[in-house]
Amino acid sequence: MALIGKRWTRFKPREHPMGERIAKRVLIVGWGGGDWNVCEPLLEQGLMPNLQRLVKAGATGVMSSVAPLLPPVAWTSVATGKRPFKHGVHGLFEADEDIGGVRPVSSESRTTTAVWNILTQARFKTHVIGWPGAHPAEAIAGVNVTDQHMVSRVDYGKPWPQPDRSVHPSNLRKSVASIRLHPGEIDRDVLSFFVPAFESVTLVERERLKACTKWLAASITNHAIATWAMEHRPWDFMALCYPSIEHLSHHYLQFVPPRNKSVSEREFELFHNVVPACYQFHDMMLGRLLQLAGRGTAVILMSPYGCKSDAGRAARPQDVSEDVESRCRPRGLIVMRGEHIQPGSTVERCSVLDVTPTVLALFGLPAGSDMDGRPLHQMVGSARAADNIESWDLVNGVCGSHTPRNEDSRRRLQTIITQLAAMGYRDPQEEALAAEQDRTVKRNKFNLARSLMEGGRVAQAIEILNELKDSPRPFPPALAMLIEAYLAAGANDAAHAVVERLRDIGGNAIVELSLGRIAIGRGDLQAAVKHLCSAKKFSPNDARVWQFLGRTYLLLGKGVDARRAFEHAVALDPDNDDARDSLQRFNTRAD
């Protein structure tokens, strides 16, 4: 972790005056993949009564995410209030320098303190259940059960061992093991709520049902552990995540009405209710959480990203970064209830980065100046806030975070492996592992550059992207992002040089789009239209092409064409802020 070698200070309330404590307790409920596009029709039909009551009593809004749209990255930003280039998690996997190949990212990948570490330092009773990317469990001041604990990887009836280091404190392992629900234990009544005609499914169709039972069982397990902790352990802070909305959306959102042409009538009839039923089931669990939380508890229900209803409709999801991102949209949901909330109000410009600063403010604790978010004013009102401290990473005290990996031991092990390889002792799979590791390292460096770009650190992003550009094996996404970075820096000539490099390895659409943008920067609007129209032929569904085409038409004084292009861009990608803002500005000028 990055804490080694830093200057430590002890957090002293007298030196850092506390703010006003607003909430007796704080409950965070995470619905991964939760999306207003699915929620709102169900609310209108009265099918989510507990969420409806929470909405009526609280404030609602759309939560914006961070790049890349990957669960451990986004949820770690929620837990730290920091962008990925500060918290150190950049993908689904990371290079395993110890044994080669790759491994899933973990809580040991994180390079900064999470909100539960801060609350532990401040001596608040803190429970965390099923948080993505937070395995192995940290020794916080409460119950910590990781997302690896609830997923079954064995057939029903066979021994189901608990993953190592998935439960803290360790003396609760037997208790929480007895609470786990195996997918094979889900009874017919529950399953029929999701798939009413499940009794008639064929063996092939039964395979598709496995995703439903797997992730439903995981969410039920998390819910059971969380409610047990709320009832039997003292708590000030509870953070709980449910995985099934996201995973069932990836698997079954393709079947929701209206029926897509790629979906057979039989599949549509069987599975069209899975996703709506999943939301309704979560509403039932939400009701129990709110009952246990009681009055005086501030509640934040949230998802850091939504799920696209039209992404990969005919394909089953794959556990790779590109596929996961293609199915997510950078707009989640948030509903908040608290003492200062104006019932029925709207949360404006809310980000995943704002959750941790808001939680700290609710407990009267200062945020770190190195956090990228800010307390949401709807939740904290006019209460006296604590002055920021430099960073919670510099505060000494027991916080439950993991001991950093021993880099010296790692280097010694790598030296031994290298020496053995030189002597001819080489694993036949070593080359495949090395190639997989190389792809993962490049992908994570690329994601780091994306985060730096999003955070306005263009020069640092350019440095990383140039490193990827000059690597032996080309990485086309990095070249496209490097063009973007140079254009953001106003370096049109440098961008043009990278365009030529990209042209050599393919990518006609991005080449023409980039040439069009360079032409805009140089004031050659006719050339810009030519290149952008060419890009449109190669990639007619790229909203960015239409957005820049609209901007060019506007500069040429072609208002009708500009409006049409902006409208088409928004229709293709409603979550494209630039396209939507361009259309709004155009309409404002027209009025």
Side-chain angles (χ1 to χ4, degrees), residues 560-576:
V560 175
D561 291 333
R563 181 195 292 272
R564 187 180 298 117
F566 287 143
E567 288 175 342
H568 199 69
V570 172
L572 287 170
D573 185 5
D575 297 320
N576 186 317

Side-chain angles (χ1 to χ4, degrees), residues 246-266:
E246 177 175 358
H247 288 281
L248 266 60
S249 293
H250 291 336
H251 282 272
Y252 300 101
L253 204 53
Q254 58 185 298
F255 301 115
V256 300
R259 183 172 70 87
N260 189 280
K261 293 180 180 179
S262 63
V263 174
S264 70
E265 291 186 8
R266 167 68 177 175

Side-chain angles (χ1 to χ4, degrees), residues 67-69 325 443 446-455 481:
L69 288 177
E325 279 205 82
R443 170 61 62 177
F446 170 65
N447 287 339
L448 170 58
R450 293 169 68 187
S451 177
L452 288 165
M453 283 281 291
E454 194 174 64
M481 179 62 69

Side-chain angles (χ1 to χ4, degrees), residues 194-387:
F194 292 80
V195 185
F198 85 95
E199 296 278 12
S200 66
V201 299
T202 64
L203 288 176
V204 174
E205 293 164 344
R206 195 173 294 274
E207 282 297 309
R208 192 178 282 276
L209 272 178
K210 286 185 177 180
C212 181
T213 55
K214 173 183 177 179
W215 294 109
L216 180 58
S219 282
I220 293 173
T221 296
N222 279 1
H223 181 75
I225 295 172
T227 53
W228 174 85
M230 293 171 77
E231 289 185 279
H232 298 285
R233 291 290 187 273
W235 63 281
D236 300 298
F237 175 79
M238 165 65 79
L240 161 67
C241 289
Y242 295 95
S244 50
I245 286 181
E246 177 175 358
H247 288 281
L248 266 60
S249 293
H250 291 336
H251 282 272
Y252 300 101
L253 204 53
Q254 58 185 298
F255 301 115
V256 300
R259 183 172 70 87
N260 189 280
K261 293 180 180 179
S262 63
V263 174
S264 70
E265 291 186 8
R266 167 68 177 175
E267 287 182 317
F268 178 75
E269 184 62 29
L270 281 176
F271 303 121
H272 73 276
N273 192 54
V274 172
V275 172
C278 182
Y279 275 80
Q280 291 174 258
F281 193 75
H282 279 69
D283 185 75
M284 299 177 198
M285 293 188 286
L286 175 63
R288 179 58 176 156
L289 293 177
L290 296 177
Q291 182 185 40
L292 290 173
R295 300 178 66 86
T297 298
V299 178
I300 301 176
L301 169 67
M302 53 147 294
S303 67
Y305 46 81
C307 290
K308 294 179 181 177
S309 60
D310 60 346
R313 286 193 132 200
R316 295 193 182 190
Q318 303 294 318
D319 192 22
V320 294
S321 298
E322 295 86 345
D323 186 74
V324 173
E325 279 205 82
S326 73
R327 295 172 184 273
C328 295
R329 55 190 294 260
R331 297 289 181 272
L333 58 80
I334 184 168
V335 186
M336 303 190 302
R337 185 191 75 184
E339 179 183 342
H340 293 284
I341 290 289
Q342 181 68 33
S345 59
T346 300
V347 184
E348 301 287 351
R349 296 188 178 277
C350 172
S351 163
V352 296
L353 303 168
D354 300 328
V355 176
T356 284
T358 300
V359 170
L360 296 179
L362 289 171
F363 284 113
L365 294 172
S369 294
D370 57 345
M371 292 180 181
D372 296 300
R374 87 287 188 230
L376 294 169
H377 69 87
Q378 293 94 339
M379 202 62 153
V380 300
S382 58
R384 179 177 56 82
D387 293 335

Side-chain angles (χ1 to χ4, degrees), residues 30-43:
W31 285 1
D35 200 304
W36 284 120
N37 288 342
V38 181
C39 275
E40 287 177 344
L42 296 172
L43 288 170

